[in-house]
Structures are given as structure tokens and as C-alpha cells.
Amino acid sequence: MPGVSLHDLRAIAEEKCAGIMEGPPLGELERALIALGTAASVTALERRPISAAITAAFDAGASLAQVQEMIALVSALGVHSLMATAVPALAEAQRRGLVPADEALDAGRQALWDRHVGEDPFWDGFSRELPGFLKSLLLLSPDLFSGFFDYCAIPWKSGQIRASVKELAAMACDAAPTHRFVPGFRVHLANAIKLGVGRTAIMQTLDIAAASPEHEGYR
């Protein structure tokens, strides 16, 4: 199976942006915050780019709370390890008889599902990109399931950065040359469009992603 290129991701974005407004370009602060997100992403950690991105964000007018919120947002990229492993881990555990094959939720797991997922339509789009992930994670580990929601919610509760900018930053991290996580990219791209982000800002975000650090290592 061929790998995913930045060209492929741009093609996905072009297709999704067909027919939407061009919209305004990103402002200096927005660009700086998104660039900080890509530099602080776990797939690109390097001291000098991180320091430069933090300085640039403050120079662009970011508050300390905004800097911390952006870092908190992209630190959650670690959950992609859960997204990539939950379904195959559950399948193998079932094959070995370690987990019941019927996948029925007990009362405790059902209560967690109702609390965190329920009828929220947001998770419908998420599950289309990552089918089976949420239920598999819940069956494997209720603690990880709850922790996934609790940790990822932190930067969305603090509300120092507009939701549209956070979606763009998450999209940029997923599109970065050292990550290229297509399911997350599609989710955040769709969310940004729903929030009214235009084609111009989306393509600028992809340019920021393409220029993110190559991850030579963290010393």
C-alpha cells in the first residue's frame, strides 16, 4: 500500500473545500499559534523550533493562557496511539479468549458510554473516520476510555483560542510531514469547515504544516 504524501492530504482538502467560500486569510496571531502547535507536536519535538515558535507566538500577541492551551491541545496527539491500536488489540484479545466476543457493554461501561458519547452527533463523524475505536477502547479499558475524553477536553474547556483555530492547528499537526494521520486530518478539516473556515485559511494551514520541523531528535 503506498504511503500518504502531503500532496494526497492537499488533494483531500481541495476536494472538501470545493464550493466553499475563499474566506479571509489567517491573521498573524493565528498563524503563530498554529505554527506553535506543529512545533510542539510529539511528532516534531526539537528544542530550537519549539523555543522559536513560543517566542513568535508571544511576539504576535498571544497570552500565556493561549500558549498553554495550544500546547495542551497538541499534546493530545499521543492518543493517536490508542486510535491505531484499539481495534486490532481487541480483535487479538478476543481471538485468544481474553475478552468476550459478543462485545456487550456491562452496566459500568454503558454508563461511561452514555456519559461521554451518548447521542452527541460529533462522535458520528469521528466514528466514520475511526470505525470501532471508541467501543473497542471502552471494552479494553474503561480507565483509558474515560482518560481519553477527560484529557482531550482540557483545551476545549479553557476557551482561550477560538475553536476554529484549534481545529486548524490539530489539522496541521495531523498533516505534518512526520505524522500524516489521515483519519484525524479528515475529522479536523470537516470540523473547521463546519465552523466557517474558508479555503484560504485551510490552504495556509497546510503550508504551515508542510514547513513544520523534520524531527531530527530531541536532546
Side-chain angles (χ1 to χ4, degrees):
M1 182 181 295
V4 179
S5 69
L6 295 178
H7 176 77
D8 295 330
L9 295 174
R10 188 173 286 271
I12 292 171
E14 290 281 8
E15 179 182 356
K16 293 295 183 182
C17 288
I20 72 170
M21 62 181 181
E22 287 294 321
L26 296 170
E28 180 185 3
L29 176 57
E30 294 167 330
R31 294 195 306 272
L33 287 170
I34 293 169
L36 170 60
T38 60
S41 165
V42 68
T43 65
L45 296 178
E46 241 184 290
R47 288 185 187 273
R48 282 180 294 179
I50 289 171
S51 294
I54 290 171
T55 298
F58 281 126
D59 287 347
S63 67
L64 176 58
Q66 288 175 319
V67 167
Q68 285 302 114
E69 183 170 289
M70 181 54 67
I71 292 169
L73 176 78
V74 302
S75 72
L77 259 69
V79 301
H80 290 175
S81 296
L82 300 177
M83 294 176 186
T85 60
V87 170
L90 178 64
E92 182 64 14
Q94 289 173 328
R95 188 182 73 80
R96 293 170 179 265
L98 302 174
V99 177
D102 63 6
E103 298 191 5
L105 299 180
D106 57 29
R109 284 179 169 85
Q110 186 63 57
L112 288 174
W113 182 271
D114 293 343
R115 173 188 168 194
H116 292 293
V117 180
E119 301 299 324
D120 187 342
F122 170 83
W123 297 110
D124 294 338
F126 180 91
S127 294
R128 281 194 294 272
E129 294 296 339
L130 291 156
F133 161 63
L134 290 172
K135 189 173 183 182
S136 296
L137 185 63
L138 178 55
L139 289 167
L140 289 166
S141 173
D143 286 342
L144 275 176
F145 180 83
S146 295
F148 165 77
F149 286 94
D150 292 343
Y151 190 84
C152 291
I154 291 172
W156 296 94
K157 289 178 178 178
S158 48
Q160 299 298 311
I161 301 171
R162 291 202 314 276
S164 58
V165 177
K166 284 185 279 197
E167 293 290 359
L168 289 174
M171 187 187 83
C173 289
D174 287 348
T178 52
H179 197 35
R180 289 168 290 166
F181 189 73
V182 178
F185 175 80
R186 288 183 182 274
V187 167
H188 295 297
L189 172 61
N191 290 345
I193 291 173
K194 285 179 183 178
L195 289 169
V197 177
R199 182 184 182 280
T200 301
I202 287 170
M203 294 305 162
Q204 282 184 302
T205 299
L206 289 177
D207 291 339
I208 294 170
S212 64
E214 295 182 3
H215 199 198
E216 297 179 357
Y218 187 87
R219 297 179 186 275

